Amino acid sequence: MIRSHQTAIPGDSTATGGTQAQRDRRVPTVGTSFTETPVTVNAVAGPCLRLATGTRPREAAGPRPSGTNGRPLRLKGPAGLVRIIACLLLWGWGLGATASAQDDNYVPAIRLVPDSVAGMARIPNVPNLITAWEKTNLAALADDPAMQPFIEFQKSVSSQKSETLGFAIGVRPEDILDVATGEAVAIWLPFEDPRRPYAVAVIVDIRGNEAQARGLLDQVDMDLKAAGATRQVTTWAKQEIRRYSLKPLPGQLKVDEVAITMNEQRLIATDRESVLVSLLESASGKDTQPKLELAADYIGVQEQTVSRVGESPDATVGLEWFARPIAMGRIVKEVTKIDRGRQVNIINLLERQGFDAVAAVGGRVTLGEGDFDLRHTGFIWAPPIPGEPERFRLAARMLRAINVPDQPIPAWVGPSIASYARINWELAKAFWYAETLVDDAVGEPLFQDLLDGIRDDQLGPQIDIAKDVIPNLGEHVIVLSDNVTPADLRSERMLVAIETTDAKTLRQVVRKTMEVDPDATIVPSPVAGVEVYRVLRTEEPIDFEAELFSDLGIEANEDAPAPLLNEWAITVLDNPDGQSAGGKTPGYLVFSSHPELMLETVERLSAANPQPSLDQTPEMILLREHLEALESEAAAQEGHAVVRMARTDLTLRAKYSLMREGKLRDSDSVMASLFRRIFISKDDEAEDLGTDKLPPFEQIQKYFRPAAGISQATPLGWTLDGFLLK
């Protein structure tokens, strides 16, 4: 957390709080030095950015488009998500820079960033990024004539996007990239202010482009004053700081501020003057705050990431990022204005339950590397805690994933499946680790009472979960997704197959449960002896969460969200590839969002030699070859905790079509339902995102290439790698 002019911040867990062991993990044992040589580029790239983003040269620009009183509009929900995506694409299309001068005295921005930072995103070199971006399939998609109506619409509203990620700093992302001649860095910091407990700052290398940067500041000055802001000018070490007090919106209690400064090397813009002063102090060497570049978690993520990169000479690092999940989660909650009313504060709950053991996460994205359009190499940093016997405590113990040598996709997975994922996890242990999480969320020890109630309820299925279910769960989960066309609200389908060591016992459990569920019916099965149950909620929707708290005698929330699924199917199937042991037959406990997908799977899983299979498709063969080529022999032998492979042209086709029709937020998919729960309130109105200007998917389908991601558990955390093929 940034201090206000050298003042310590009470209650700052990221800087001074937490247990001593947690703080010890962040004391660096090794230092790193980051030096960069600026690159000279041609000054014509600036006009290229203006052409790409639809902005005018500063000398010709008037006040920027705005919302109420000239202020940028605030974006939430799916509108914010689409705007974020469009903004990122516009950044890519418009990346450019002007001439940069060599300057041995330039201090890289990473040396200015305080250790209290919650998140950081950094473009190491804008000129290099524009060159690499132009060679990608994503750039070709942006340049396709069929996309131009949508692109032009996004340019016309680009000035409204900046606040989607908390960028209320007076300077738009396209402004930043317009003047950048080297690196461009954005940071998010906790801040002691109950009205807005975070701060945002951007640091931009402008060497060789001081005149244009000065014009930008003058234009910002005119825009903010036109919106009712008042300006105060102060100095720090003879460097001018412009502080603007922004006119509050109706009903807004806090008064926003913007602070901007520049010299011949860099431009800094923030929404807190004290943050700006701290950054200037750091640049001059007068600030004694610990810096991010020497933090143990940052160094750990960097070392684990770089050690596995193995980049080819043609690779360009386009983006580096770093975040501390708990601190960044709190900021995201504030920025997106997520309000769950009387429900549990999830971030505080996770922190209490030990999930702060995940100290940091970060990575880098490279462009144009060999056969990869994009490649991500990252790491989730969760090292051992000094003095503690285990790095995970309480419910966080469920994070203990296990590595399993990679295996072919099972033959029963059909060729029409769009994505396949295999998760290796100690499910039985994870279930019991959830006990403290549930008890903490409810406020009293009810987890065991709930299990006892399910077992003893005379009107219920009388299932002994502790005896008949949990001990018979395996360590592998398979997740499949596909979709059917033409796209409608129920096009997207998902199936989850959980490994079980005793299919017979689980089959009896499912039968007893479904027999007492008034919404469950048996679906005619294509295979004799296989019972497939369909559950269709015919009464007022009540999901598991509502049922749970109702059973516990806790008052239901009248505004509770709809269930994740109104219709789903369940069955238990024998595993044709498994081997019986101790009289038990292995199998799968299978859930599906659509009974049709379940029946297709039942038929394939019961066939002696189902052909063809997903594993034999050209896309999956290609992905498997590239996954194997990326890994060391030792890593391949150890295996992974998570493997996911996807044909993005299939995974995205239904989403794209629904988005084009303005119906994506109403989709019946699991992910859409989760998104509505988190980001959309019942009073939110749909916003015009220009998606009706998108071309039919068939016209641009060729740009969507196969992608894969893998994660391996290590003693220090988990790898977080993936790629999109050219």
Side-chain angles (χ1 to χ4, degrees):
M1 185 177 295
I2 277 286
R3 78 280 189 280
S4 178
H5 298 294
Q6 310 293 337
T7 315
I9 302 299
D12 177 11
S13 61
T14 38
T16 59
T19 66
Q20 182 62 47
Q22 291 167 334
R23 294 195 296 273
D24 289 344
R25 276 200 303 176
R26 301 185 49 188
V27 177
T29 57
V30 72
T32 57
S33 176
F34 299 84
T35 58
E36 300 175 16
T37 302
V39 179
T40 300
V41 296
N42 194 297
V44 300
C48 291
L49 174 64
R50 288 189 288 272
L51 177 63
T53 58
T55 57
R56 292 169 285 168
R58 280 293 166 190
E59 60 273 15
R64 290 172 285 189
S66 57
T68 306
N69 295 328
R71 297 287 305 284
L73 296 177
R74 297 184 182 274
L75 305 176
K76 299 193 294 181
L81 180 63
V82 173
R83 289 283 167 80
I84 290 171
I85 296 171
C87 186
L88 291 174
L89 286 174
L90 286 172
W91 277 27
W93 300 325
L95 287 174
T98 53
S100 174
Q102 297 288 335
D103 186 350
D104 293 337
N105 295 322
Y106 180 77
V107 180
I110 187 63
R111 295 184 178 176
L112 312 183
V113 178
D115 183 29
S116 59
V117 70
M120 178 185 71
R122 175 176 181 261
I123 299 174
N125 190 292
V126 171
N128 288 351
L129 179 55
I130 177 58
T131 301
W133 173 263
E134 290 174 344
K135 300 176 183 178
T136 65
N137 264 324
L138 296 178
L141 169 63
D143 292 337
D144 193 299
M147 288 290 293
Q148 297 316 301
F150 176 73
I151 292 172
E152 292 301 322
F153 179 87
Q154 295 304 319
K155 292 175 184 176
S156 70
V157 298
S158 63
S159 63
Q160 300 175 5
K161 297 173 185 154
S162 60
E163 289 200 8
T164 304
L165 292 175
F167 275 96
I169 54 176
V171 182
R172 301 169 299 182
E174 57 263 38
D175 296 331
I176 295 167
L177 294 172
D178 198 0
V179 300
T181 60
E183 66 178 348
V185 180
I187 59 175
W188 291 261
L189 304 119
F191 196 89
E192 187 183 24
D193 183 348
R195 299 170 300 173
R196 184 167 57 88
Y198 66 92
V200 179
V202 294
I203 307 166
V204 188
D205 180 358
I206 60 168
R207 288 171 292 170
N209 202 16
E210 184 179 356
Q212 189 174 356
R214 182 67 60 186
L216 168 61
L217 263 61
D218 291 341
Q219 180 64 51
V220 169
D221 183 78
M222 182 175 68
D223 292 346
L224 292 178
K225 287 179 178 177
T230 58
R231 188 186 80 177
Q232 293 179 321
V233 177
T234 59
T235 59
W236 186 91
K238 298 183 180 180
Q239 182 168 337
E240 180 182 277
I241 298 175
R242 297 181 180 182
R243 179 186 182 277
Y244 298 88
S245 297
L246 306 182
K247 184 177 180 180
L249 296 172
Q252 182 179 341
L253 298 178
K254 63 179 181 292
V255 177
D256 291 322
E257 69 177 43
V258 168
I260 305 176
T261 190
M262 64 162 284
N263 56 25
E264 68 280 2
Q265 293 185 331
R266 64 175 59 85
L267 180 151
I268 303 176
T270 79
D271 56 3
R272 306 280 188 178
E273 184 180 14
S274 61
V275 173
L276 189 148
V277 171
S278 293
L279 293 172
L280 290 177
E281 291 173 345
S282 296
S284 68
K286 296 180 179 180
D287 182 32
T288 59
Q289 286 189 99
K291 295 297 182 287
L292 178 64
E293 69 165 338
L294 296 179
D297 52 0
Y298 179 77
I299 293 173
V301 169
Q302 292 293 309
E303 290 178 343
Q304 294 298 314
T305 298
V306 174
S307 66
R308 301 191 329 280
V309 169
E311 297 166 351
S312 60
D314 58 345
T316 297
V317 180
L319 176 70
E320 298 173 346
W321 66 280
F322 174 82
R324 288 163 173 152
I326 295 294
M328 195 65 195
R330 291 194 170 102
I331 292 177
V332 169
K333 179 181 177 182
E334 292 295 328
V335 171
T336 56
K337 296 178 172 55
I338 300 172
D339 183 10
R340 300 303 303 273
R342 293 179 289 173
Q343 297 187 26
V344 176
N345 185 316
I346 297 297
I347 295 175
N348 290 347
L349 173 64
L350 293 177
E351 186 175 31
R352 292 194 302 269
Q353 286 295 310
F355 288 86
D356 54 351
V358 180
V361 59
R364 55 165 52 185
V365 178
T366 57
L367 294 81
E369 180 185 350
D371 293 335
F372 305 127
D373 216 33
L374 300 175
R375 179 186 171 193
H376 179 268
T377 307
F379 197 79
I380 302 173
W381 181 251
I385 302 176
E388 297 291 335
E390 295 188 25
R391 56 176 169 163
F392 300 120
R393 60 185 178 87
L394 300 176
R397 292 174 293 173
M398 67 175 61
L399 294 175
R400 295 171 179 161
I402 56 175
N403 296 324
V404 174
D406 296 339
Q407 302 176 12
I409 299 174
W412 55 266
V413 180
S416 65
I417 294 298
S419 72
Y420 165 88
R422 180 183 174 94
I423 304 168
N424 303 308
W425 195 18
E426 295 177 319
L427 297 174
K429 292 181 179 179
F431 177 85
W432 294 115
Y433 293 150
E435 179 173 1
T436 59
L437 185 73
V438 173
D439 290 348
D440 191 349
V442 176
E444 55 183 303
L446 290 176
F447 183 85
Q448 190 61 53
D449 290 343
L450 176 63
L451 298 184
D452 294 343
I454 295 173
R455 182 193 61 204
D456 301 333
D457 184 2
Q458 297 297 319
L459 300 178
Q462 294 185 299
I463 299 298
D464 192 336
I465 293 177
K467 176 182 177 182
D468 297 328
V469 178
I470 305 307
N472 295 316
L473 296 180
E475 296 180 339
H476 312 297
V477 179
I478 291 175
V479 182
L480 310 177
S481 74
D482 77 349
N483 51 77
V484 294
T485 56
D488 59 32
L489 297 181
R490 280 188 50 79
S491 284
E492 295 197 69
R493 311 190 301 180
M494 177 180 289
L495 182 140
V496 179
I498 302 173
E499 181 187 65
T500 172
T501 57
D502 188 349
K504 180 179 179 181
T505 298
L506 263 294
R507 190 173 289 117
Q508 294 172 346
V509 168
V510 170
R511 182 184 299 120
K512 291 175 65 176
T513 303
M514 294 294 102
E515 285 175 349
V516 298
D517 190 331
D519 294 328
T521 56
I522 292 182
V523 178
S525 170
V527 178
V530 175
E531 298 175 343
V532 176
Y533 294 91
R534 171 179 178 254
V535 177
L536 177 63
R537 297 303 181 193
T538 56
E539 300 179 356
E540 187 69 22
I542 301 177
D543 61 357
F544 175 77
E545 175 184 309
E547 291 177 352
L548 167 62
F549 287 96
S550 176
D551 290 343
L552 297 176
I554 298 175
E555 181 182 358
N557 187 346
E558 295 179 357
D559 297 326
L564 289 180
L565 292 172
N566 279 320
E567 181 181 14
W568 49 278
I570 185 172
T571 192
V572 176
L573 299 170
D574 292 340
N575 180 2
D577 300 322
Q579 296 183 351
S580 299
K584 297 182 178 181
T585 302
Y588 295 103
L589 174 62
V590 188
F591 301 86
S592 178
S593 61
H594 290 64
E596 300 84 2
L597 179 58
M598 174 72 82
L599 295 176
E600 294 170 16
T601 302
V602 168
E603 189 169 15
R604 289 189 61 86
L605 218 157
S606 302
N609 186 27
Q611 296 292 335
S613 68
L614 178 64
D615 198 49
Q616 298 169 338
T617 60
E619 296 91 342
M620 293 298 153
I621 293 174
L622 189 63
L623 288 173
R624 194 164 55 247
E625 290 175 350
H626 282 86
L627 284 172
E628 292 172 355
L630 281 178
E631 291 195 301
S632 66
E633 183 177 349
Q637 290 178 350
E638 186 173 353
H640 298 95
V642 179
V643 177
R644 184 176 188 270
M645 296 183 282
R647 297 183 285 184
T648 62
D649 59 332
L650 298 183
T651 60
L652 297 176
R653 64 181 179 182
K655 296 181 181 70
Y656 180 95
S657 297
L658 291 174
M659 182 172 67
R660 187 167 175 259
E661 298 172 9
K663 299 178 181 178
L664 182 59
R665 65 181 278 167
D666 300 320
S667 170
D668 198 32
S669 70
V670 174
M671 292 307 298
S673 298
L674 283 172
F675 189 85
R676 286 193 296 269
R677 282 171 172 247
I678 297 172
F679 292 106
I680 301 177
S681 68
K682 63 180 182 179
D683 298 325
D684 282 345
E685 296 181 0
E687 186 176 345
D688 182 10
L689 305 176
T691 54
D692 60 323
K693 298 171 177 59
L694 288 166
F697 186 70
E698 293 73 20
Q699 294 185 23
I700 59 172
Q701 185 173 0
K702 61 183 179 182
Y703 298 112
F704 296 92
R705 303 286 295 137
I710 51 177
S711 179
Q712 185 178 72
T714 79
L716 297 175
W718 302 268
T719 63
L720 193 63
D721 302 337
F723 58 79
L724 174 67
L725 292 177
K726 290 181 178 177

